[in-house]
Amino acid sequence: MTDPVFLITGASRGIGAATARLAAEAGYRLVLVARDESRLTGLAADLGGPGRVWPVACDVTDWARLDGLVTRVRERWGRLDVVFANAGTSVVTSFLGHRGAPPDEWRDMVLANVYGPALTARATLPALVESGGHLVLTGSAAGRGVRPGNLYSATKWAVTGLAQSIRAECVGTGVRVTLVQPGLVDTGGIPPGRAGDPKLDPADIARAVLYAVGQPATVDVNEILVRPVGQDPYR
Ligand SMILES: NC(=O)c1ccc[n+]([C@@H]2O[C@H](COP(=O)([O-])OP(=O)(O)OC[C@H]3O[C@@H](n4cnc5c(N)ncnc54)[C@H](OP(=O)(O)O)[C@@H]3O)[C@@H](O)[C@H]2O)c1
């Protein structure tokens, strides 16, 4: 079995699960990563079961588990070709304290959104260098504009910088690095205050990911910004 291997974090639902579906259709073997094992197991069964899809419960902020996972993928399937560092979360914040979650609930978001993709890159890049592979990161439209009082936006600015920093370090390795910046997507990840706004479907972002990954090995799609028609540019 030599089909390429595609690892997705945040694969249990939303954008990650939609990308897993398209990647399975495109012929990849999949490693699906999230914390909710039962959701991952159900999705894995839908997408081809053992031999094609490997569900792995792992918190992306846990370095030892992530690093061990990559070792196991290489032992089991012998290669790793595409990594989608997509896991993330959001809470509403205000630095003036006018709304949202109390500050001691901000930590998990910062860790999942910034430390998580940084560790995912660190754990997987040696294997991607070996395969001449591709790292895709999920940023956000909120990672390129100002959003008042919004720490989530700041974490996604960090992902914008992370993607650029990784790409710069990977020059000469053959590894491609793509930052996907979604506007509002209809998933469990959106704040209740935006329920009435125009939204993308998770599959709209999955197609953008597969577009980047499907380009010739000499083409590095650096960034893709996708918004729903009618999205307010300042939200
Ligand atoms: N929805 C939007 O409008 C939007 C817009 C721009 C960017 N994004 C970004 O898109 C990415 C996917 O979000 P989504 O909208 O698809 O939301 P979602 O439906 O809530 O999915 C989030 C995924 O991340 C996983 N996850 C969260 N924390 C994790 C952790 N510490 N370790 C491992 N897995 C973790 C969740 O699984 P478990 O809970 O099972 O771990 C789930 O699979 C995120 O980075 C988000 O910031 C979303």
Side-chain angles (χ1 to χ4, degrees):
M1 175 72 73
T2 57
D3 285 343
V5 176
F6 197 135
L7 183 151
I8 301 173
T9 74
S12 58
R13 54 181 191 266
I15 293 168
T19 304
R21 281 188 193 286
L22 279 197
E25 284 169 23
Y28 287 95
R29 290 178 287 169
L30 299 174
V31 182
L32 305 181
V33 179
R35 294 163 301 180
D36 183 338
E37 191 162 20
S38 63
R39 266 181 187 267
L40 286 179
T41 307
L43 181 62
D46 262 11
L47 298 184
R52 299 298 307 174
V53 188
W54 185 18
V56 184
C58 175
D59 188 318
V60 293
T61 67
D62 182 337
W63 165 249
R65 293 239 341 134
L66 257 187
D67 195 37
L69 164 61
V70 174
T71 305
R72 287 191 291 148
V73 170
R74 294 171 93 176
E75 283 167 5
R76 182 169 172 155
W77 280 346
R79 58 190 290 177
L80 182 59
D81 300 274
V82 184
V83 173
F84 185 26
N86 165 73
T89 185
S90 76
V91 294
V92 176
T93 58
S94 158
F95 299 108
L96 290 173
H98 289 168
R99 61 184 174 276
D104 62 1
E105 291 178 19
W106 299 359
R107 177 191 300 265
D108 285 351
M109 172 176 72
V110 175
L111 289 174
N113 292 9
V114 181
Y115 190 51
L119 292 187
T120 302
R122 176 65 186 84
T124 59
L125 275 168
L128 293 180
V129 168
E130 222 169 76
S131 63
H134 199 146
L135 175 66
V136 183
L137 300 104
T138 305
S140 171
R144 50 192 295 151
V146 174
R147 308 284 187 274
N150 190 322
L151 180 58
Y152 170 79
S153 166
T155 68
K156 292 301 187 178
W157 275 91
V159 177
T160 302
L162 186 61
Q164 293 184 13
S165 174
I166 293 167
R167 187 179 308 108
E169 191 179 4
C170 285
V171 167
T173 65
V175 171
R176 298 182 282 163
V177 180
T178 299
L179 173 67
V180 176
Q181 299 185 305
L184 193 65
V185 185
D186 194 6
T187 69
I190 63 172
R194 302 196 61 188
D197 292 0
K199 291 184 266 314
L200 296 164
D201 187 89
D204 298 328
I205 302 304
R207 285 196 307 281
V209 173
L210 269 289
Y211 162 78
V213 165
Q215 297 307 300
T218 49
V219 177
D220 189 2
V221 178
N222 287 192
E223 295 186 3
I224 305 180
L225 169 63
V226 187
R227 287 192 178 103
V229 172
Q231 177 165 335
D232 179 336
Y234 301 107
R235 297 210 74 191

